[in-house]
Amino acid sequence: MPRKRNAHRSPDMPTLADVARLAGVSEITASRVVRAQGPIADSTRARVLTAIAELGYIPNRAAGTLASAGSTLMSVLLPSLSNIVFPDVLRGIHTALTETAFQPVIGVTDYDPLIEERILVSFLAWQPAAVIVAGLHHTPTARRHLEHGRFRVAELMDIDGEPVDIAVGMSHRQAGYETGKHLVQRGYRRFGYARHNVTTDDRASARYEGLCSALQEAGLSLVAEHCYPDASSTKAGRDALEILLATHPDLDVVVFPNDDMAMGGIFHCMHAGIAVKDKLGIFGFNGLDIGQAMPMPLSTILSKRFLIGKTAAEKLLESRERPAEKTIINTGFDIIEGATA
């Protein structure tokens, strides 16, 4: 559903003169600090950098280039490229841009909002026509740059919130809720949850909250859960399930935050002689090809990653100007019943 943009207009982007005025220095001095040229007193540099941060000033690295006639750069900030989820998103973006003059410039944030902010500021110095970022949650500084910039913005994967311009994705809380509801309907009652460290993974946290909500509605709750201390991986899933079952061997289903970890859970079951589904249900998230290629296809939720990337890029290409209304596009998700839960 489209949502209306705030009535007030974004302020003009601050200039180098504004920075110099706030810092109490000349424009030449401010320029030398921005370009890291020549000797500058530490106190002067600190005043200029403080003014830059306070104003949200972005130097224009593209001045005098073809960008002055209209940039063809599209900045893309993704949490990871080792996780197969985001290469699928990138394929969708690439497909939408193939027959156009636009070129994506990629940055990887490692799920760290501060890294996202740093890369974003660096990219904005080249005056991109559009910015694509994952998720709706950013640092206050990054959010301010996205809201006040003269470029289109698409926030991907998540629609549970207020976008800057366009949001394309799915409700992760609803996906978690539907997971719980589906498994309860299939007769499961003793639920376990094996996860990785989701401190900065808002989408995994939302799915967890949705799952717990569905269980509560059914008069149930998680019997046990284990948090693997490191990043998500297949090994993390295998180790997490082993630890979980060591203290709660009577669980009848375990939900994982993604297919990588769920596959690790299946590998533990194979090693320990646990009959998947008959003895212990396993449920993942993402609908990766490798999970569906298993002799027992993984029960999971399919997130439409390629469609999300392609749709976002296509919407950004429709106009260089932000429309009067914000747009939320729900690409939805599908439950894959599989053979493991």
Side-chain angles (χ1 to χ4, degrees):
M1 293 285 294
R3 296 186 182 178
K4 291 188 176 180
R5 184 182 299 277
N6 292 336
H8 69 274
R9 296 179 61 186
S10 297
D12 291 338
M13 293 294 287
T15 65
L16 186 63
D18 297 326
V19 171
R21 186 162 42 252
L22 183 59
V25 301
S26 69
E27 284 192 50
I28 293 176
T29 298
S31 177
R32 288 168 61 191
V33 172
V34 168
R35 299 177 185 277
Q37 292 179 343
I40 299 289
D42 289 344
S43 59
T44 300
R45 178 179 293 104
R47 291 205 312 275
V48 173
L49 293 178
T50 298
I52 288 172
E54 183 174 336
L55 293 172
Y57 170 72
I58 299 292
N60 184 0
R61 308 290 187 199
T65 69
L66 288 177
S68 62
S71 174
T72 57
L73 295 180
M74 190 171 287
S75 298
V76 181
L77 285 74
L78 298 176
S80 169
L81 289 181
S82 59
N83 183 337
I84 190 61
V85 168
F86 294 104
D88 281 349
V89 173
L90 192 55
R91 273 196 314 113
I93 294 170
H94 173 74
T95 298
L97 300 183
T98 297
E99 300 299 326
T100 76
F102 287 84
Q103 292 294 326
V105 182
I106 315 301
V108 179
T109 69
D110 292 326
Y111 291 94
D112 188 325
L114 292 177
I115 294 177
E116 178 189 80
E117 176 188 311
R118 176 172 56 79
I119 296 174
L120 174 64
V121 170
S122 175
F123 280 177
L124 294 187
W126 294 97
Q127 304 293 299
V131 172
I132 295 177
V133 294
L136 295 167
H137 298 96
H138 318 285
T139 67
T141 297
R143 178 85 184 189
R144 184 168 63 249
H145 284 313
L146 293 172
E147 288 178 339
H148 296 167
R150 296 174 180 173
F151 47 81
R152 300 300 308 276
V153 177
E155 293 162 289
L156 306 190
M157 313 305 290
D158 190 4
I159 60 170
D160 292 325
E162 185 77 12
V164 171
D165 182 356
I166 301 171
V168 184
M170 55 181 279
S171 169
H172 286 261
R173 194 179 192 286
Q174 188 66 28
Y177 177 84
E178 294 297 337
T179 294
K181 183 177 177 181
H182 171 75
L183 292 173
V184 168
Q185 289 175 343
R186 294 181 76 82
Y188 292 104
R189 294 295 180 268
R190 296 189 61 77
F191 281 74
Y193 192 79
R195 62 183 175 89
H196 61 296
N197 188 339
V198 296
T199 303
T200 56
D201 191 342
D202 298 318
R203 293 174 291 282
S205 295
R207 293 195 298 275
Y208 173 84
E209 292 169 2
L211 171 67
C212 291
S213 178
L215 295 185
Q216 185 177 24
E217 284 187 10
L220 302 171
S221 63
L222 290 173
V223 173
E225 56 185 292
H226 177 72
C227 177
Y228 190 78
D230 295 325
S232 172
S233 67
T234 302
K235 184 178 184 301
R238 177 173 176 168
D239 292 349
L241 184 60
E242 181 179 9
I243 293 170
L244 197 61
L245 293 179
T247 54
H248 295 83
D250 57 343
L251 295 175
D252 59 14
V253 65
V254 175
V255 179
F256 293 82
N258 56 52
D259 284 1
D260 290 339
M261 292 191 68
M263 292 291 293
I266 290 175
F267 292 152
H268 171 70
C269 290
M270 293 170 62
H271 174 75
I274 299 171
V276 175
K277 190 175 183 180
D278 291 340
K279 178 65 176 177
L280 181 68
I282 300 288
F283 199 92
F285 175 82
N286 270 322
L288 301 184
D289 288 346
I290 187 171
Q292 299 311 301
M294 293 284 287
M296 293 181 68
L298 179 65
S299 301
T300 186
I301 281 187
L302 173 65
S303 60
K304 302 176 182 180
R305 305 171 298 278
F306 176 85
L307 177 62
I308 289 171
K310 184 172 181 290
T311 301
E314 288 174 345
K315 292 297 293 182
L316 292 174
L317 291 173
E318 289 180 359
S319 171
R320 284 182 177 265
E321 301 296 326
R322 295 188 190 180
E325 294 184 342
K326 298 179 181 183
T327 302
I328 293 178
I329 301 173
N330 186 357
T331 54
F333 56 84
D334 296 323
I335 293 179
I336 299 177
E337 293 193 2
T340 63

